């Protein structure tokens, strides 16, 4: 478009004309479909369901029991791994040293196993909804 062709013309004058406005009091048009129906009452947002406290405690106990049992196993196996990484050595002296790790490691493992079992029981027996007050 050169300067002489479009001189004095606004770009919107070349566009297709707009459809006429509806007469006053006429409902607006929403296309080929009827207008959306709005409910008379506003929707009330339902509260999110909360878990039963026993179920929450069961989940926490299960996670802590699992990690505690794994830590007990690591405590029992740790001296053997360090002995192998160190290249071996006097086996008789090592067994005396490794025996001192068995009691604490097995105690921590047993505590973790008890927590794990109690957590699973808490998850299973916990109600899906909290008690009504």
């Amino acid at each position: 478009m050169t300067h002489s062709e479009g001189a004095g013309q606004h770009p919107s004058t070349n566009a297709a004309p707009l459809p006429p406005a509806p007469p006053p009091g006429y409902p607006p048009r929403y296309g080929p479909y009827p207008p959306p129906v709005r409910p008379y009452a506003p929707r009330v947002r339902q509260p999110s369901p909360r878990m039963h406290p026993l179920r929450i405690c069961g989940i926490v106990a299960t996670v802590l029991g699992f990690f505690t049992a794994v830590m007990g196993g690591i405590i029992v196996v740790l001296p053997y791994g360090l002995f192998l990484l160190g290249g071996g050595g006097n086996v008789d002296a090592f067994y005396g040293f490794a025996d001192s790790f068995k009691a604490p490691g097995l105690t921590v493992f047993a505590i973790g196993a008890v927590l794990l079992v109690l957590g699973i029981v808490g998850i299973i027996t916990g109600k899906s909804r909290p008690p009504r007050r």
Side-chain angles (χ1 to χ4, degrees), residues 26-82:
Y26 189 80
R29 223 173 128 196
Y30 290 94
Y33 305 107
V37 178
R38 295 189 179 231
Y40 292 106
R43 291 184 182 222
V44 177
R45 185 172 178 178
Q46 298 294 327
S48 62
R50 295 185 180 180
M51 281 197 280
H52 195 271
L54 184 60
R55 185 170 279 187
I56 294 172
C57 291
I59 292 171
V60 171
T62 302
V63 171
L64 289 177
F66 174 75
F67 285 121
T68 306
V70 168
M71 190 58 66
I74 289 174
I75 291 171
V76 170
V77 176
L78 181 68
Y80 296 100
L82 292 175

Side-chain angles (χ1 to χ4, degrees), residues 68-69 71-73 75-76 100-110:
T68 306
M71 190 58 66
I75 291 171
V76 170
S100 64
F101 279 79
K102 284 184 183 176
L106 292 177
T107 303
V108 172
F109 182 80

